[in-house]
Amino acid sequence: MDGMGMPGSIGEAGAPVRYSIETRWLHWSCAWLVLAQFVLGELMHRVPLALHGPIVSAHLSLGVLLAALFVMRVAWRVTGGRAIRFPVGDGLAGWAAPAMHGVLYLALGAEIGLGYLARWSGGRPVTAFGAVIHSPFGPMSQATHHLFGSAHGWLAWAIMILAAGHVAAVLYHVRVVRDGVLRRMWA
């Protein structure tokens, strides 16, 4: 066993060769929830009225779950967690990967905040798994509600584009660089 509690995860030079189970669980849970949220968000505007309510309810509940996991993930990352750090090199690779991760974290945090604000600015509470989260703010104008809703929708698309870039970078590492980056986050 290694210091990360996983057998076989120490490389020849004593460096960890994969991320901890907690890091991997937080990553993949957030990734799948972000994708589910995007799909539900797009569906809610395209389904018959009879399905609108259940889709909105699922979107809100999964959004609160994503917010909780996001807070856990940020806390895990800020405190060092048991993540591993790999030298990414100089030049483009040296700043692109950390910059992409930073932008994804900022965008996802903003998206979650905008989701709450979009709901509350419309005079409705956020409901999740039967619990009700009331707005801490007073009434807001229709223009403010529209602004928050539009920003939430546009940022969702931006996150999907960033995520596609993230996946493309992973595929580049898998097919061209062949450095085992996916194995470290998957296995």
Side-chain angles (χ1 to χ4, degrees):
M1 294 277 265
D2 66 27
M4 293 191 308
M6 297 176 295
S9 63
I10 296 292
E12 291 177 20
V17 293
R18 66 180 176 185
Y19 291 93
S20 69
I21 187 72
E22 299 90 349
T23 302
R24 289 179 282 144
W25 185 84
L26 285 167
H27 175 271
W28 292 110
S29 296
C30 285
W32 287 113
L33 278 171
V34 165
L35 182 60
Q37 284 295 84
F38 180 77
V39 169
L40 288 170
E42 289 300 307
L43 278 177
M44 76 173 67
H45 304 292
R46 293 171 171 76
V47 296
L49 194 55
L51 295 175
H52 183 78
I55 289 175
V56 169
S57 179
H59 185 74
L60 291 170
S61 292
L62 292 180
V64 169
L65 179 61
L66 177 60
L69 283 173
F70 179 75
V71 168
M72 289 171 55
R73 186 168 181 187
V74 168
W76 183 253
R77 184 174 181 106
V78 170
T79 60
R82 288 189 288 168
I84 53 178
R85 303 284 182 248
F86 290 92
V88 290
D90 296 326
L92 179 64
W95 65 266
M100 173 63 89
H101 287 115
V103 169
L104 278 168
Y105 273 93
L106 287 172
L108 188 53
E111 179 70 354
I112 291 166
L114 284 168
Y116 279 88
L117 289 171
R119 186 74 177 176
W120 289 335
S121 65
R124 295 169 299 203
V126 173
T127 55
F129 306 107
V132 178
I133 306 167
H134 293 284
S135 173
F137 309 109
M140 296 184 202
S141 70
Q142 185 64 26
T144 301
H145 173 62
H146 180 72
L147 175 68
F148 288 141
S150 293
H152 184 64
W154 283 106
L155 189 52
W157 277 97
I159 289 170
M160 287 297 107
I161 292 167
L162 289 169
H166 184 64
V167 170
V170 168
L171 292 175
Y172 173 77
H173 277 269
V174 168
R175 295 291 186 189
V176 177
V177 179
R178 298 183 186 266
D179 60 0
V181 70
L182 183 60
R183 215 174 23 255
R184 291 190 294 265
M185 186 52 85
W186 192 266

